[in-house]
């Protein structure tokens, strides 16, 4: 592993991001958690932006397997036996709905001598889609789109998603009962709670339809009558102590903290001091940017001549409450708000990217901030305040040539943010 040079801040920050992604690659992380292949019938199912890569990693150890995995368009991987279906994310589509029904049929009729391996990663909430009775796919799509624009944290989103689903909140595991199940998960949620990774299709949940209604009200989600009627009925979500979950083991195999630690190790090898601000930060992206900018400016002012470079690292999942019609995502919006708060302070550079390679709905992971970001924007006639007001952070950094576009990373351990003062 080569050690990057912090005196080249752009390349250095990108190397740290790449390192954070690499340690969460399922081909690297999964094998250690995979038991010997059980005797008898083995069925592999899964969903998420990393699920096809996870399936590829399984077959690298076990050989060809029976199964079906649903991933995002463009994220498929070659598998020997497991069928890979591509579908839409972050708003579900018909391809995902049809594949989910096929998956449920595959699990039906298994007996206690059979074994199910479930591969779950971030993105499964949209890709594993089976609307509850009385709710159409179009209505589910509309609610999901409103959730994404609301600024609601992922935990709140997933409560509502579970109670409008026939597969989330432990219902996938219940469909496989009485077969034994091992669920391997890659976490993209603050706190790494398996119940919230992909809306917990293999994990019981104690929330209620009333809790889901409260999410609608708290975040001003417009919902058709069919959705409100569905939430007035008993939910299909499986309670944590339900007997149908007794033969399920849920195991997180990769998480944001591991990726931040790997980036920190690389930065320390390059001669940097490192502070990790947390791997589970939540809240509005622009507000967190203001907080971290203030911290960075204070640290910079307190540093003496000849001090070692200092790196501030953080992870988690920030949100954006959409007010405008621009193209953006929480990582790019964090970077734009950070640039505005730093106001060109010398010696401060930053990167913020989603480790799945997709920030918001754009095929862009995030962006890089430099001390001259605002000056270069002014020279190009790009107004950063107007871009922030329109939630058009991707447009802003696209105009500067400062977007980070790695393509599909085939993993997903949430946001990666780094501020370098050198």
């Amino acid at each position: 592993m080569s050690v990057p040079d912090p005196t080249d801040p752009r390349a250095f920050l990108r190397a740290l991001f790449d390192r954070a992604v690499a340690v969460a690659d399922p081909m690297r992380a999964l094998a250690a958690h995979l038991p010997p292949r059980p005797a008898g019938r083995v069925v592999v199912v899964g969903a998420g932006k990393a699920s096809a890569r996870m399936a590829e990693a399984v077959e690298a150890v076990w050989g060809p397997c029976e199964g079906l995995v649903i991933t995002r368009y463009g994220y498929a991987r070659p598998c020997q036996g497991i069928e890979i279906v591509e579908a839409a994310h972050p708003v579900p589509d018909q391809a995902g709905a049809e594949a989910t029904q096929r998956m449920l049929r595959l699990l039906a009729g298994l007996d206690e001598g059979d074994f199910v391996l479930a591969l779950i990663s971030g993105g499964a909430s949209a890709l594993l889609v089976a609307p509850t009775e009385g709710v159409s796919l179009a209505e589910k799509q509309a609610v999901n789109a409103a959730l994404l624009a609301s600024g609601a944290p992922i935990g709140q989103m997933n409560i509502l998603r579970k109670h409008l689903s026939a597969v989330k909140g432990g219902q996938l595991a219940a469909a496989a009962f009485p077969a034994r199940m091992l669920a391997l998960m890659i976490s993209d949620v603050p706190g790494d709670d398996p119940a919230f990774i992909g809306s917990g299709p293999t994990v019981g949940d104690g929330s209620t339809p009333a809790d889901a209604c409260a999410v609608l009200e708290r975040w001003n989600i417009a919902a058709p009558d069919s959705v409100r009627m569905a939430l007035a009925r008993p939910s299909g979500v499986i309670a944590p102590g339900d007997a149908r979950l007794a033969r399920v083991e849920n195991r997180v195999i990769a998480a944001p903290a591991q990726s931040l630690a790997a980036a920190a190790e690389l930065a320390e090898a390059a001669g940097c001091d490192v502070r990790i601000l947390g791997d589970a930060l939540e809240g509005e992206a622009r507000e967190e940017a203001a907080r971290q900018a203030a911290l960075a400016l204070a640290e910079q002012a307190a540093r003496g001549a000849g001090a070692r470079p200092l790196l501030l690292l953080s992870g988690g999942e920030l949100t954006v409450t959409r007010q405008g019609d621009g193209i953006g995502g929480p990582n790019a919006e964090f970077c734009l708000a950070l640039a505005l708060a730093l106001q060109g302070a010398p010696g401060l550079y930053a990167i913020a990217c989603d480790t799945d390679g997709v920030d918001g709905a754009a095929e862009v992971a995030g962006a890089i901030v430099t001390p001259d970001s605002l000056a270069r924007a002014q020279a190009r006639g790009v107004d950063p305040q107007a871009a922030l007001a329109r939630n058009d952070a991707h447009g802003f950094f696209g105009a500067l040539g400062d977007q980070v576009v790695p393509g599909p990373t085939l993993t997903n351990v949430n946001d990666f943010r780094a501020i370098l003062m050198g």
Side-chain angles (χ1 to χ4, degrees):
M1 178 182 63
S2 62
V3 178
D5 182 358
T7 64
D8 182 355
R10 283 177 174 272
F12 179 74
L13 291 171
R14 178 58 191 268
L16 296 183
F17 170 64
D18 290 343
R19 175 64 176 158
V21 169
V23 299
D25 184 340
M27 293 297 286
R28 182 183 193 135
L30 187 140
H33 298 273
L34 198 63
R37 181 167 179 160
R41 186 180 182 191
V42 174
V43 176
V44 179
V45 295
K49 284 177 271 191
S51 61
R53 183 69 158 178
M54 295 170 81
E56 183 183 18
V58 168
E59 290 193 331
V61 178
W62 280 0
C65 296
E66 175 187 6
L68 172 63
V69 162
I70 309 170
T71 194
R72 190 179 192 268
Y73 289 118
Y75 283 58
R77 295 296 299 167
C79 286
Q80 305 167 64
I82 301 168
E83 180 185 359
I84 306 297
V85 176
E86 292 181 306
H89 178 278
V91 177
D93 68 356
Q94 188 64 35
E98 292 175 357
T100 301
Q101 289 304 315
R102 289 173 52 210
M103 185 183 296
L104 291 172
R105 290 195 294 271
L106 181 62
L107 296 176
L110 295 179
D111 62 37
E112 62 183 13
D114 298 326
F115 180 87
V116 178
L117 180 67
L119 308 174
I120 307 298
S121 71
S125 292
L127 297 164
L128 199 60
V129 54
T132 193
E133 183 180 356
V135 177
S136 70
L137 176 61
E139 290 166 334
K140 188 77 176 287
Q141 289 170 325
V143 170
N144 200 60
L147 271 175
L148 292 168
S150 71
I154 189 65
Q156 294 286 290
M157 289 188 189
N158 283 353
I159 288 173
L160 181 57
R161 287 165 167 167
K162 290 178 186 186
H163 291 280
L164 294 177
S165 173
V167 72
K168 300 177 175 69
Q171 295 179 84
L172 183 70
F177 183 81
R180 188 161 60 95
M181 174 181 282
L182 171 63
L184 301 182
M185 303 178 176
I186 293 180
S187 173
D188 71 328
V189 298
D192 306 326
D193 185 344
F196 289 108
I197 301 171
S199 296
T202 64
V203 185
D205 189 274
S207 67
T208 66
D211 296 326
C213 287
V215 174
L216 288 178
E217 303 307 321
R218 167 66 180 84
W219 299 98
N220 299 313
I221 306 299
D225 290 342
S226 62
V227 167
R228 295 190 179 276
M229 289 174 63
L231 295 177
R233 299 191 297 266
S235 170
V237 170
I238 309 299
D242 193 289
R244 290 169 291 178
L245 302 178
R247 307 196 73 206
V248 179
E249 178 188 353
N250 294 291
R251 187 183 304 169
V252 176
I253 66 167
Q258 296 164 354
S259 288
L260 289 182
E265 181 182 12
L266 188 60
E268 288 167 348
C272 294
D273 293 327
V274 179
R275 286 181 57 190
I276 297 180
L277 306 180
D279 67 339
L281 303 186
E282 295 184 275
E284 278 288 321
R286 62 181 67 188
E287 294 174 5
E288 181 60 25
R291 187 183 77 84
Q292 292 199 23
L295 176 60
L297 290 169
E299 291 281 358
Q300 186 82 320
R303 289 163 55 78
R308 284 157 53 98
L310 175 63
L311 186 74
L312 305 179
L313 287 175
S314 65
E317 184 164 36
L318 303 181
T319 53
V320 171
T321 302
R322 287 190 61 82
Q323 305 291 340
D325 59 355
I327 301 174
N331 288 284
E333 185 148 313
F334 173 90
C335 285
L336 178 52
L338 185 76
L340 283 164
L342 292 177
Q343 283 294 307
L348 288 171
Y349 296 78
I351 189 170
C353 292
D354 198 314
T355 54
D356 65 11
V358 179
D359 184 37
E363 305 299 314
V364 179
I368 289 177
V369 176
T370 66
D372 64 350
S373 291
L374 298 185
R376 287 185 291 121
Q378 182 178 24
R380 290 166 171 78
V382 180
D383 185 341
Q385 290 284 5
L388 186 62
R390 291 185 53 228
N391 302 117
D392 192 31
H394 284 313
F396 176 85
F397 287 107
L400 297 187
D402 286 343
Q403 293 178 315
V404 179
V405 189
T409 64
L410 308 176
T411 193
N412 186 8
V413 287
N414 230 324
D415 299 341
F416 174 87
R417 292 177 294 274
I419 300 175
L420 174 67
M421 49 199 81

